[in-house]
Amino acid sequence: MKNTILIILACLLAFTACDNEVDELFEQSSQERINDAKIEYKDILTSSENGWVIEVIPGAENKGAYSAYVTFNDDGKVYLSTDFSPYDYEAEIDSSLYEINYTQGMTIAFTTFSQMNYFSNPNNSGGTGLGGDVELLVKEISDDKIVCEGKVNKGSFIFTKADTKSHIDALNEVLKVEEALIGKTYFSDYAFPVLQFEDGTKVSFIYDSYYRAVSTTEYKNTADGVEINKSILRVKFDKTGMSFIDSLEVDGNVVSRLDYNATDNSFKTPSDQSTAEFIISPLPPAEIAGVADAFINSKYGTISSYGKNFKAIMDPFSELYPLFAEIQFSRYYSYSGITFKFKPNDYPYAKLKDNEITKMSESEIKFEFDTYVDKYSNMFKYHIEDRLTTPEGQAIMDVLFSDSGFSLFSEDNVNFTLVKKDDPTIWFMMYMSESGL
């Protein structure tokens, strides 16, 4: 026991001596140096005339870059505005308290709840957080730039001096660019968001504002068919366009940025890169052999979503006849048809000619009408023909049983996009089950 105590005392004396030796190298103690660093850091944070803009990349997989404008005051308050939330398209200012501390290094901490908590708030992510941090470990600091790392989730926080005091206006300019990209995608008449190159090459290009990332799909024709390569590319916005944190490379062509032109609402590569433009295409980005057979060999499918022009046809009908408004495809032993409610064996349907879907090509089909069938018609006060021969119902039938048929697109032979060939502004998606392939 006595030997153990002596060993512990010896260790304590060694650590004390070591600490004293370190302090002897400096004129000040370690605590005095920390206090001086706190003063220096605070002077830097509060000295920027226009405050700071922070590029934030949360420490969560596939999260792109966001912006926070902040102004640090001497009284320990920081005023901030961010574009963190994907659902807010008008910037707002709020405040937090902040502290400069030393814990495993010098840190800048936002100590009261504010917009800086968005990515660390479990309520915004189903209880897990989105890689956010409010305590930042300083890696580099100068009068013009501060580089930090999130202490818990290791996100990136790069401070640069803001070039304007109008933080709200600056953020709203950036948000307008993102909003334009979203609007171009979701308010278009067409179905396929793509990045189209000068030689006609198309890359599927789907923007996700929740992650601030783009999902891309490249299609390559090989001897064995179409090869599909998928990527998720993180992006960031500024007031003149969108940059890629992870560059997109297609056949040796590298795309790292799209410039936004508000006049023609376009997103195009700058002049020093391969010529490409983000468009919404009426036609699928690739023709995949066998997609028609896959659809035909499915036994059951339901329309899961549709474009706005088909929605404009559907809405008047569904308001008048809600019992008949849910459209599905069914292919059973005794019949094939377009049904108008769940449980196709119990509900009326528009029977297909010869109980078959007509294959027009490897990627094109059409439905040919035979007759209306009221299965168990005693269950209904109104029959299917009564509803579908009205002007509202006939408009739907003219789409579904168009003589021109549909172009088909699917990457998985489960989710199919059907585009009306003579009017590609009319399209819908069907989720199919029990594929025969």
Side-chain angles (χ1 to χ4, degrees):
M1 181 67 179
K2 183 177 180 182
N3 288 338
T4 303
I5 293 173
L6 288 173
I7 292 170
I8 293 171
L9 287 172
C11 291
L12 289 172
L13 288 170
F15 281 122
T16 302
C18 194
D19 186 55
N20 288 337
E21 286 175 10
V22 173
D23 280 341
E24 285 172 5
L25 296 175
F26 301 93
E27 295 180 357
Q28 298 173 302
S29 68
S30 58
Q31 187 57 54
E32 288 173 327
R33 293 195 302 275
I34 289 170
N35 290 338
D36 286 349
K38 287 181 179 181
I39 294 170
E40 180 186 358
Y41 280 37
K42 187 171 185 178
D43 286 344
I44 291 173
L45 289 175
T46 58
S47 66
S48 178
E49 180 182 1
N50 297 322
W52 300 83
V53 57
I54 311 174
E55 180 188 274
V56 179
I57 303 178
E61 187 177 10
N62 298 329
K63 272 287 188 184
Y66 298 79
S67 298
Y69 279 85
V70 296
T71 301
F72 294 91
N73 286 358
D74 285 325
D75 61 3
K77 270 191 175 182
V78 55
Y79 293 90
L80 63 155
S81 184
T82 77
D83 63 356
F84 291 176
S85 171
Y87 311 111
D88 296 332
Y89 284 97
E90 291 295 332
E92 297 179 352
I93 291 178
D94 68 356
S95 64
S96 171
L97 298 178
Y98 75 94
E99 292 179 357
I100 301 167
N101 294 309
Y102 183 89
T103 51
Q104 300 174 328
M106 296 299 294
T107 61
I108 302 168
F110 298 83
T111 58
T112 53
F113 191 86
S114 69
Q115 294 180 49
M116 286 298 290
N117 292 82
Y118 181 84
F119 295 119
S120 55
N121 185 351
N123 292 331
N124 292 330
S125 57
T128 59
L130 294 167
D133 279 285
V134 291
E135 189 174 10
L136 314 181
L137 187 63
V138 179
K139 296 293 188 178
E140 301 174 25
I141 189 166
S142 69
D143 290 339
D144 298 314
K145 185 178 181 180
I146 306 169
V147 178
C148 297
E149 179 183 79
K151 193 168 181 185
V152 175
N153 291 302
K154 310 303 180 185
S156 170
F157 298 78
I158 299 177
F159 295 56
T160 54
K161 285 188 172 181
D163 59 5
T164 177
K165 290 182 179 179
S166 302
H167 293 175
I168 291 290
D169 292 340
L171 265 182
N172 282 336
E173 279 191 74
V174 177
L175 286 168
K176 283 179 182 177
V177 176
E178 183 183 19
E179 191 174 6
L181 183 69
I182 294 170
K184 190 176 178 72
T185 301
Y186 293 104
F187 297 141
S188 169
D189 291 341
Y190 297 134
F192 301 103
V194 299
L195 189 66
Q196 180 166 289
F197 288 81
E198 195 171 25
D199 63 0
T201 300
K202 292 180 181 179
V203 176
S204 176
F205 192 92
I206 301 173
Y207 177 63
D208 186 332
S209 61
Y210 183 74
Y211 283 97
R212 195 158 284 179
V214 173
S215 300
T216 64
T217 307
E218 184 183 358
Y219 307 88
K220 291 185 177 180
N221 292 313
T222 71
D224 298 323
V226 176
E227 178 184 303
I228 297 175
N229 298 314
K230 292 180 175 291
S231 300
I232 297 177
L233 308 176
R234 299 170 299 157
V235 301
K236 58 184 178 181
F237 290 90
D238 56 50
K239 63 184 180 181
T240 60
M242 177 181 74
S243 298
F244 294 83
I245 300 171
D246 312 300
S247 294
L248 170 64
E249 184 172 348
V250 180
D251 292 334
N253 298 317
V254 176
V255 176
S256 60
R257 180 172 176 82
L258 295 177
D259 289 330
Y260 175 60
N261 185 323
T263 303
D264 60 5
N265 194 34
S266 66
F267 286 85
K268 299 178 181 179
T269 50
S271 58
D272 60 348
Q273 296 182 29
S274 301
T275 302
E277 181 178 1
F278 172 65
I279 65 170
I280 309 299
S281 174
L283 300 175
E287 289 190 17
I288 301 176
V291 67
D293 289 331
F295 188 91
I296 289 169
N297 287 321
S298 299
K299 290 186 178 180
Y300 176 81
T302 184
I303 293 182
S304 54
S305 62
Y306 33 76
K308 64 178 184 180
N309 288 355
F310 191 33
K311 177 179 170 62
I313 294 171
M314 284 287 298
D315 282 353
F317 180 76
S318 61
E319 288 174 8
L320 289 171
Y321 316 115
L323 282 176
F324 295 87
E326 189 172 322
I327 301 176
Q328 299 166 331
F329 160 75
S330 301
R331 176 174 173 268
Y332 284 86
Y333 301 108
S334 59
Y335 75 93
S336 290
I338 304 295
T339 70
F340 285 80
K341 195 62 182 174
F342 193 65
K343 297 181 181 177
N345 59 324
D346 293 336
Y347 283 84
Y349 61 94
K351 183 177 177 294
L352 299 183
K353 181 181 177 182
D354 299 326
N355 288 328
E356 295 292 342
I357 297 172
T358 303
K359 179 179 174 181
M360 301 170 65
S361 74
E362 286 294 307
S363 59
E364 297 174 329
I365 58 100
K366 72 175 179 178
F367 305 109
E368 293 186 81
F369 177 71
D370 184 353
T371 187
Y372 294 108
V373 179
D374 282 302
K375 200 137 181 149
Y376 305 119
S377 60
N378 61 323
M379 295 174 60
F380 299 98
K381 183 177 179 181
Y382 303 109
H383 299 295
I384 187 172
E385 187 172 1
D386 296 335
R387 303 301 123 210
L388 292 178
T389 54
T390 63
E392 296 82 7
Q394 190 59 52
I396 294 174
M397 293 295 287
D398 288 345
V399 170
L400 297 176
F401 294 96
S402 168
D403 287 338
S404 64
F406 297 93
S407 293
L408 283 175
F409 175 74
S410 179
E411 293 179 357
D412 57 11
N413 289 337
V414 175
N415 295 283
F416 292 83
T417 302
L418 291 83
V419 180
K420 194 168 182 283
K421 285 189 62 183
D422 61 358
D423 185 358
T425 68
I426 294 177
W427 57 270
F428 53 89
M429 297 182 69
M430 294 191 80
Y431 174 81
M432 309 298 286
S433 63
E434 299 187 57
S435 174
L437 295 183

